[in-house]
Amino acid sequence: MNRTQEVAQLRVGYQRELADGTDRFHGPKSTTCPWCGSSRLRTRLRTTDLIQRKPGTFVLDQCRDCSHSFQNPRLTAEGLAFYYRDFYDGLGAAGAEMLFGRKGSRKRYEASARALLPFGPSRRWLDVGTGHGHFPEAAGTVHPDTVFDGLDLGEGVDEGARHGRIAEAHRGLLTELAPKLEGRYDTVSMFHYLEHTTDPRAELTAARTVLAPGGHLIIEVPDPESAMSAVLGRWWLPYFQPQHLHLMPLANLHRALEELGYTVVATARREPHIAADLIAAAALLLNRVLPTADDPWHPQPPNDLQRKARKAMFWSAVPALVGVYGLEQLLTPLLRRTRFSNAYRIVARSGAA
């Protein structure tokens, strides 16, 4: 079955789901901050799905007291399933494989893995939100004596095991699987995972459960205090609606870890920066003006004229995209050393060694 035939089959199901609109995909609107409980909220962002262009509107509110940003109203379990479908798996599997398996991503994974070297060897490592297991595969070159396992909700984690990128695949939620994995790991990693979760504190608690005493938790997340978020607005990729449910300032996450009994042993903003803000914003803008692609969540497939227009507009924009990419590479050494850095890292030790 080719992609056109697959899309045609999927369109029936998608349109059935969308017949009643998207309001049911959202829970009730919260009047308080889920991080500190304050009722002093402001709207930080109102946007649509700029990547897949699935229907719906999404709002990020920000707490005026602790600066935590969160999707409000938040997607329900049904809504999350709808918006994640065909992004990392299904129709989106090939694109995800190309993005996360590329050379640039591998270098970033290796740099993240090296951040654990000062804290001694790790016998067994659990990568939470591992996707197709690309991080463990790269990290294995930095930690050749470590056994890497992966955990994720999607079928990609099983794919990672089949390709030998991870030794053992755990499919499900960390908060539910933690009891059977208690004390099993020396290291737990959460790379751009925590912002996707419905309850980040529960995830940190679950990670503490699966860590052996003295084990380390390493986290990398988007930095909501990045100055680039104000410059680019809705086109700042780390907003990543509708998937990112929480954007946590470093100080908030640092404090939460300590309250849960961890000891924070390292933080960094420079190295975790991902050089993609400008090129991603340009790509999102282009995607916004292009005619819609043949995706099953659109009611009708594009006609021949729309297909040709999309292809012509895309290729005519390629020189501009190349220019933006080149500019970003030139600016990256400066950006990562300033508050324009778009991510941060925390390494924390659990319990007593």
Side-chain angles (χ1 to χ4, degrees):
M1 183 188 301
N2 60 35
R3 189 183 190 279
T4 300
Q5 293 170 322
E6 185 178 5
V7 168
Q9 286 191 3
L10 291 173
R11 181 169 279 116
V12 176
Y14 268 104
Q15 296 312 311
R16 186 184 301 116
E17 284 186 280
L18 290 168
D20 296 326
T22 60
D23 287 349
R24 73 183 191 284
F25 292 149
H26 298 268
K29 187 173 179 64
S30 176
T31 58
T32 59
C33 171
W35 200 264
C36 74
S38 171
S39 59
R40 299 181 66 243
L41 307 178
R42 73 173 185 91
T43 298
R44 177 170 182 166
L45 177 75
R46 186 181 299 273
T47 189
T48 56
D49 179 350
L50 299 175
I51 300 177
Q52 286 187 299
R53 294 174 67 172
K54 287 182 176 179
T57 300
F58 313 97
V59 177
L60 278 179
D61 281 349
Q62 184 176 35
C63 178
R64 295 181 184 273
D65 288 330
C66 75
S67 295
H68 182 79
S69 297
F70 61 103
Q71 190 183 84
N72 192 24
R74 201 182 72 196
L75 289 173
T76 61
E78 182 185 11
L80 288 168
F82 176 83
Y83 287 106
Y84 270 86
R85 192 183 311 146
D86 290 309
F87 194 98
Y88 300 102
D89 299 318
L91 290 177
E97 180 72 17
M98 180 177 66
L99 176 63
F100 296 114
R102 66 188 179 92
K103 184 177 179 180
S105 295
R106 186 179 179 89
K107 288 183 177 180
R108 180 161 56 85
Y109 301 151
E110 291 172 350
S112 297
R114 285 193 293 271
L116 262 293
L117 288 175
F119 306 104
S122 179
R123 177 182 55 84
R124 200 167 189 108
W125 183 319
L126 177 65
D127 185 41
V128 182
T130 196
H132 292 73
H134 289 294
F135 168 76
E137 181 181 42
T141 64
V142 180
H143 300 269
D145 298 323
T146 300
V147 176
F148 287 89
D149 295 342
L151 185 152
D152 213 318
L153 265 175
E155 61 188 27
V157 66
D158 297 319
E159 185 79 5
R162 283 194 293 271
H163 282 83
R165 297 169 185 153
I166 53 178
E168 188 173 345
H170 303 289
R171 188 168 179 180
L173 297 169
L174 176 63
T175 50
E176 295 177 357
L177 296 176
K180 77 172 187 178
L181 302 175
E182 184 174 359
R184 185 172 175 180
Y185 293 97
D186 304 303
T187 303
V188 171
S189 54
M190 296 178 173
F191 296 117
H192 292 271
Y193 162 80
L194 205 58
E195 64 271 24
H196 291 261
T197 65
T198 59
D199 187 346
R201 275 195 177 92
E203 300 290 333
L204 301 178
T205 301
R208 188 185 60 192
T209 298
V210 305
L211 279 169
H216 290 86
L217 171 64
I218 178 170
I219 298 169
E220 291 182 12
V221 290
D223 188 350
E225 297 175 301
S226 170
M228 196 62 81
S229 67
V231 173
L232 296 178
R234 67 187 301 210
W235 310 107
W236 187 55
L237 182 63
Y239 279 136
F240 209 71
Q241 291 302 293
Q243 293 192 22
H244 285 182
L245 307 182
H246 296 276
L247 293 174
M248 299 145 287
L250 189 153
N252 287 12
L253 191 52
H254 190 295
R255 189 177 307 113
L257 286 164
E258 292 187 333
E259 289 172 352
L260 289 169
Y262 291 92
T263 300
V264 174
V265 295
T267 62
R269 274 194 167 101
R270 181 182 299 182
E271 193 177 64
H273 173 76
I274 301 173
D277 283 340
L278 299 182
I279 186 60
L284 291 176
L285 278 165
L286 177 61
N287 189 47
R288 180 69 175 177
V289 301
L290 289 176
T292 56
D294 188 9
D295 294 317
W297 42 90
H298 302 309
Q300 298 292 334
N303 57 39
D304 287 342
L305 179 60
Q306 290 169 324
R307 292 175 191 272
K308 291 177 181 178
R310 180 180 176 87
K311 185 176 182 179
M313 291 172 66
F314 172 79
W315 285 109
S316 66
V318 166
L321 292 175
V322 172
V324 172
Y325 176 81
L327 175 64
E328 183 148 48
Q329 300 312 300
L330 289 173
L331 292 175
T332 291
L334 173 63
L335 295 177
R336 69 168 67 249
R337 287 171 169 78
T338 67
R339 291 313 300 269
F340 283 93
S341 173
N342 59 20
Y344 66 83
R345 176 193 301 139
I346 289 185
V347 181
R349 185 175 63 248
S350 176

